[in-house]
Amino acid sequence: MLSRMIGAALLRSDTFEEVEADSNAMVQALIVVIIVAIAGAIGSFLSEEGDIVRALIFGIVFSIVSWAVWALVAVFVGTKILKTEDTEADWGQVARCTGFAQTPGLLSILVFVPVVGGLFGVVSLAWRVAAMVVAIRQSLDYTSTWRAFFVILISFIPVLIINAVAFVVLSFAL
């Protein structure tokens, strides 16, 4: 799993192809999403000093829901709206790849660092987007990086709406 995380962080296409083809990697992808959520919750806690248990629960649940929904929307957009002749993918393939694409989010643990913490957050986000582009490109069998970028961009709108609803529901639940 660690070598796959490193490969995903290094934006290696072959790593995403390997993860896409390995149906047993779903648990690993879920673990990556959870580890990144924990890193983000710890970084946020250290910078804001809130309730760590609440931050962990909220962060993990929110991250899993967001990841699963984003993969679902990306499959729809990628296989229906921006489909190519070679495009063939299912939710599991996209979810595994996008789960590992979250690896650069580990940097979010450093957002508490004075002066440069915000920079770690920005770098983490940009790096995750780059990894998502490669993950989408490989899992949807695209040859165009731009097509993969547009899948992510188009998928962002419904995911943003669903995340907003999940945020409100979780805020009241916790």
Side-chain angles (χ1 to χ4, degrees):
M1 183 171 98
L2 183 59
S3 65
R4 287 178 168 175
M5 290 175 72
I6 292 168
L10 293 174
L11 310 179
R12 291 187 178 150
S13 299
D14 59 324
T15 299
F16 289 107
E17 287 292 335
E18 177 186 326
V19 170
E20 175 193 11
D22 183 2
S23 60
N24 294 319
M26 185 61 76
V27 172
Q28 291 180 355
L30 175 62
I31 290 169
V32 172
V33 171
I34 292 170
I35 291 169
V36 170
I38 291 169
I42 291 170
S44 178
F45 170 75
L46 292 174
S47 65
E48 299 172 12
E49 295 188 21
D51 179 4
I52 187 65
V53 174
R54 182 179 174 164
L56 284 170
I57 292 170
F58 185 83
I60 291 170
V61 171
F62 191 75
S63 294
I64 292 171
V65 169
S66 180
W67 164 62
V69 169
W70 199 311
L72 182 65
V73 174
V75 167
F76 176 78
V77 171
T79 62
K80 304 295 183 209
I81 298 172
L82 295 176
K83 181 180 176 110
T84 68
E85 280 186 25
D86 297 328
T87 302
E88 185 178 321
D90 60 29
W91 178 83
Q93 293 168 321
V94 174
R96 288 189 298 274
C97 289
T98 57
F100 274 91
Q102 298 308 307
T103 300
L106 290 171
L107 279 180
S108 61
I109 198 169
L110 300 174
V111 298
F112 74 92
V113 177
V115 182
V116 294
L119 180 61
F120 283 115
V122 171
V123 168
S124 171
L125 177 62
W127 196 354
R128 276 205 258 187
V129 169
M132 285 282 287
V133 169
V134 177
I136 292 295
R137 185 186 67 207
Q138 298 312 122
S139 63
L140 294 175
D141 303 313
Y142 288 161
T143 55
S144 168
T145 300
W146 282 107
R147 185 176 294 268
F149 174 77
F150 283 115
V151 167
I152 292 169
L153 191 63
I154 293 168
S155 300
F156 180 72
I157 296 166
V159 170
L160 182 64
I161 293 167
I162 292 167
N163 282 347
V165 170
F167 181 80
V168 170
V169 169
L170 285 173
S171 293
F172 286 115
L174 299 174

